[in-house]
Amino acid sequence: MDEMIRANIYSVGVVDSDVRIFHGYQTPFGTTYNAYLIIDEKVTLIDFVKAQFSAELLNNIEKVLCGKTIDYIICNHVEPDHSGALPAVINKYPTAVIYGTAACEKELNVYYPQSNFKFEVVRLGDVLNSGKYNFSFIPMPMVHWPDSMCTYLKEEKILFSNDAFGQHIGTGVKFDTDMDKTELFERIADYYANIVMPFGNQVLKLVDIIGKLEIETVCPSHGVIISKYLVEVFGKYISYAKNETIDDKAVIIYDTMWGTTKKLAQKLSNELTQNGIKVEIISLSEKHYSYAMSKLIDAKYIFVGSPTLNNTMLPTVSAFLTYLKGLRPKNRIGKAFGSYGWSGESPKQIEDVLRSLNWEIIDLEKVMWNF
Ligand code: FEO
């Protein structure tokens, strides 16, 4: 998918339209692993791709370089979707020097001990000159790993943001200008909810730094390049990072055995609706827990229900709660509910998890057999 996105700047990454699960997160639209090649007196590659796409990356690079070599490689992030092709690239361009954070160097040495790569550690404010271009580095630890950073190309006002501002869109669309706006913001929400959500404080630090830069375009490592909707995307990230919620939005997530917990979900939904609150009910038998995460990203009310089975909750609900605990949404109002036959432990167990997130809790509700 090599393509000139601006004079001297090429997109040389790949489309992975088939991937459906991305470390536990459902990706129904596939994704891309974006890499960028910048032609100057020195040639710079920004990021690699997943290992299985190494040949495609090398082919895309070669189509642009026509026999020239790569001088610099900026490794914004070590996770294997962005570094997997390192051995193949270093094998072909052995004199290239990799630039990244100290954590990046440490992690690359663990991942690729057989690759004899040259590495230079960079810190906030360091600048790499390639001729007429200057790349400056902005570490963003935990957005998404300790090694993560983004790279700012001052002369072109481009931020190569790696995982930040990404979207899992593997349809081949390259620019936000070619996307339906609602769909774009849904994918941004999916991505934030399922990947970035625990790191709100780090996102706010990042936004504080990049807010002082002149940025016209963000080139992330997944999904489309953002320019038209940049201001709104930054605004969404700030809002999500602050855990801002919509006061009249509720999500009810449940699973059911014989339909009673489903009826209870509907009853709770009716009560909320009567109070002017918009509700989405999500059955975990029908939807993946990552779908539920996307929908609750800005919901003030999050209700979770399960019948009691063998003195505990259903495994689908348990899996959802495990996922929820890891992603740690804040400032919510929670309620547990469920049906039971004799022991009835599940609502209390659910409530304990919601309490562990420091949410405000509404009294749990449980019914025996049916109602
Ligand atoms: Fe897209 Fe943290 O990797």
Side-chain angles (χ1 to χ4, degrees), residues 22-23 77 79 81-82 144-145 162-163 191 221-222:
F22 195 95
H23 55 56
H77 182 22
E79 193 162 11
D81 50 328
H82 306 298
H144 166 227
W145 276 12
N162 197 264
D163 276 345
Y191 187 96
S221 58
H222 298 288

Side-chain angles (χ1 to χ4, degrees), residues 18-290:
D18 296 328
V19 66
R20 287 293 174 271
I21 290 287
F22 195 95
H23 55 56
Y25 157 31
Q26 206 172 49
T27 50
F29 311 98
T31 193
T32 61
Y33 313 113
N34 298 340
Y36 302 94
L37 198 62
I38 295 95
I39 309 301
D40 197 358
E41 287 167 35
K42 301 288 185 183
V43 172
T44 303
L45 173 69
I46 297 186
D47 292 326
F48 306 93
V49 298
K50 213 173 182 176
Q52 72 198 69
F53 297 97
S54 297
E56 190 176 337
L57 172 67
L58 289 176
N59 189 41
N60 291 344
I61 291 170
E62 183 50 33
K63 277 200 253 174
V64 178
L65 292 186
C66 302
K68 284 174 73 180
T69 195
I70 295 173
D71 300 288
Y72 305 142
I73 298 171
I74 295 171
C75 180
N76 281 323
H77 182 22
V78 175
E79 193 162 11
D81 50 328
H82 306 298
S83 72
L86 180 151
V89 172
I90 292 299
N91 188 46
K92 181 154 184 190
Y93 304 102
T95 57
V97 179
I98 301 177
Y99 294 80
T101 61
C104 174
E105 181 182 29
K106 211 182 284 181
E107 294 169 26
L108 287 181
N109 278 314
V110 174
Y111 266 106
Y112 310 105
Q114 310 301 331
S115 284
N116 191 21
F117 55 84
K118 300 172 184 60
F119 195 97
E120 291 281 338
V121 172
V122 295
R123 294 171 187 83
L124 177 64
D126 284 354
V127 176
L128 175 66
N129 177 270
S130 64
K132 63 176 179 284
Y133 291 139
N134 290 289
F135 299 91
S136 56
F137 305 106
I138 304 157
M140 48 176 191
M142 300 318 294
V143 189
H144 166 227
W145 276 12
D147 55 82
S148 295
M149 67 174 192
C150 53
T151 298
Y152 179 57
L153 178 50
K154 186 179 166 192
E155 289 75 15
E156 296 287 336
K157 299 176 184 159
I158 296 178
L159 184 74
F160 296 94
S161 63
N162 197 264
D163 276 345
F165 314 111
Q167 334 92 41
H168 284 313
I169 298 169
T171 55
V173 176
K174 179 82 75 184
F175 301 99
D176 65 346
T177 44
D178 297 327
M179 277 205 71
D180 173 76
K181 184 179 175 184
T182 303
E183 198 185 331
L184 172 68
F185 279 86
E186 281 177 3
R187 298 295 79 76
I188 284 173
D190 296 344
Y191 187 96
Y192 189 96
N194 286 282
I195 293 187
V196 189
M197 187 180 265
F199 311 118
N201 290 338
Q202 293 89 334
V203 166
L204 291 175
K205 279 183 201 159
L206 171 67
V207 170
D208 195 43
I209 296 171
I210 65 175
K212 297 180 180 75
L213 305 174
E214 238 187 306
I215 299 172
E216 280 178 1
T217 302
V218 164
C219 292
S221 58
H222 298 288
V224 300
I225 292 167
I226 302 165
S227 52
K228 182 177 177 184
Y229 299 113
L230 200 52
V231 173
E232 285 167 89
V233 170
F234 283 165
K236 271 287 173 202
Y237 256 60
I238 292 168
S239 175
Y240 292 151
K242 289 180 173 172
N243 274 277
E244 291 176 352
T245 56
I246 299 170
D247 285 343
D248 63 353
K249 179 173 175 180
V251 179
I252 299 179
I253 300 140
Y254 78 99
D255 205 348
T256 196
M257 278 172 67
W258 295 105
T260 307
T261 301
K262 181 178 181 178
K263 272 169 72 180
L264 199 44
Q266 190 58 58
K267 180 186 98 71
L268 294 170
S269 171
N270 294 344
E271 289 169 4
L272 287 165
T273 304
Q274 281 160 15
N275 284 298
I277 294 166
K278 296 178 194 72
V279 184
E280 180 170 359
I281 303 178
I282 298 170
S283 159
L284 291 170
S285 292
E286 294 164 18
K287 297 283 188 186
H288 193 261
Y289 51 70
S290 55

